[in-house]
């Protein structure tokens, strides 16, 4: 009796129950792992989107803060104003300006000023830079922010906002710039940035700007 008991193994039912339990545990593990992978992917996408928005804010802020009143010429030789801005994505480009402070690490024969443009194309805000100020073709565009539905721009001068800007000898640059971004997922952002020399404080009460 003792020898026969030691030689007996698991029954078929016991084996099937064991396999069932193992299968349930494996399925649960796969589900947890799949959820973790999806959550990590969503989190990484959110981080990438936040980084892209921060990068757009930083680069656009630097471009506008160092804007200079320097007119240029396009590749066909036609003159262009130092600062041109439309109301948003319907214009191409929606913003064009000349900025200073372009670091010349390789000591190339060029100016330290650079012509840059911003446009909305295929749901993405792109920045286009030019290697030279006059008569040069643009460099390949750099995508700054994707998933954009609409962009609205405004420009501030003497306490008032305008949805378009063209440089004039009296006012080559606006005082401030506003960009409103509507994303395809429903989120909205508003950037208000200084242009050129920056903020001009209002005159004391009872005193005009010319005094």
């Amino acid at each position: 009796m003792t020898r026969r008991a030691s030689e007996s193994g698991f029954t078929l039912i016991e084996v099937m129950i064991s396999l069932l339990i193992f299968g349930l545990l494996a399925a649960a593990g796969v589900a947890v792992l799949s959820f973790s992978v999806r959550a990590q992917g969503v989190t990484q996408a959110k981080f990438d989107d936040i980084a892209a928005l921060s990068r757009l804010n930083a680069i656009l802020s630097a471009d506008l803060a160092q804007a200079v009143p320097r007119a240029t010429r396009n590749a066909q030789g036609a003159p262009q104003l130092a600062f041109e801005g439309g109301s948003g994505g319907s214009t191409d480009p929606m913003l064009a300006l000349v900025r200073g402070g372009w670091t010349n690490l390789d000591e190339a024969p060029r100016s330290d000023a650079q012509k840059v443009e911003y446009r909305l194309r295929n749901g993405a805000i792109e920045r286009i830079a030019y290697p030279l100020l006059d008569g040069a073709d643009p460099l390949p565009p750099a995508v700054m922010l994707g998933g954009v539905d609409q962009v609205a721009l405004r420009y501030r001068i003497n306490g008032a906002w305008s949805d378009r800007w063209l440089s004039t000898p009296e006012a080559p640059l606006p005082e401030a710039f506003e960009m409103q971004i509507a994303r395809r997922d429903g989120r909205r952002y508003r950037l208000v940035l200084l242009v050129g020399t920056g903020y001009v404080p209002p005159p004391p009460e009872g005193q005009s700007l010319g005094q």
Side-chain angles (χ1 to χ4, degrees):
M1 290 290 292
T2 304
R3 187 182 63 180
R4 291 184 58 187
S6 63
E7 290 178 352
S8 63
F10 295 104
T11 64
L12 179 60
I13 295 177
E14 291 174 334
V15 172
M16 293 181 64
I17 293 175
S18 300
L19 292 175
L20 176 62
I21 295 174
F22 178 78
L24 292 175
L25 292 176
V30 171
V32 172
L33 181 60
S34 177
F35 175 78
S36 300
V37 171
R38 289 197 303 269
Q40 184 178 4
V42 172
T43 302
Q44 186 62 47
K46 292 293 185 182
F47 283 153
D48 292 343
D49 190 67
I50 294 173
L53 186 63
S54 299
R55 185 166 56 250
L56 171 65
N57 182 47
I59 295 178
L60 184 59
S61 297
D63 286 342
L64 292 170
Q66 299 182 84
V68 294
R70 203 283 198 185
T72 61
R73 292 184 178 274
N74 60 20
Q76 291 72 40
Q80 291 184 302
L81 299 177
F83 195 107
E84 299 181 58
S87 59
S90 59
T91 55
D92 189 9
M94 57 184 178
L95 177 65
L97 65 127
V98 176
R99 57 155 294 173
W102 185 18
T103 305
N104 193 355
L105 297 177
D106 55 357
E107 298 183 355
R110 61 169 175 81
S111 170
D112 63 350
Q114 184 182 36
K115 182 168 65 173
V116 296
E117 298 176 348
Y118 287 84
R119 70 185 180 196
L120 178 63
R121 177 170 294 184
N122 298 326
I125 297 177
E126 297 179 342
R127 181 182 185 269
I128 304 97
Y130 287 77
L132 299 173
L133 290 173
D134 300 303
D137 291 322
L139 298 171
V143 176
M144 307 303 300
L145 184 67
V148 178
D149 187 32
Q150 292 181 341
V151 175
L153 306 181
R154 293 198 303 170
Y155 313 86
R156 187 175 179 87
I157 187 70
N158 295 335
W161 288 99
S162 173
D163 60 355
R164 293 186 180 276
W165 184 270
L166 296 176
S167 294
T168 63
E170 296 77 18
L173 302 174
E175 297 169 359
F177 169 86
E178 178 192 77
M179 173 182 282
Q180 297 186 37
I181 304 172
R183 308 296 299 278
R184 289 176 175 172
D185 57 6
R187 290 176 296 165
R188 292 180 175 271
Y189 302 95
R190 179 173 179 259
L191 306 177
V192 180
L193 307 169
L194 298 176
V195 180
T197 56
Y199 175 66
V200 178
E205 194 173 330
Q207 181 179 346
S208 65
L209 288 172
Q211 294 178 332

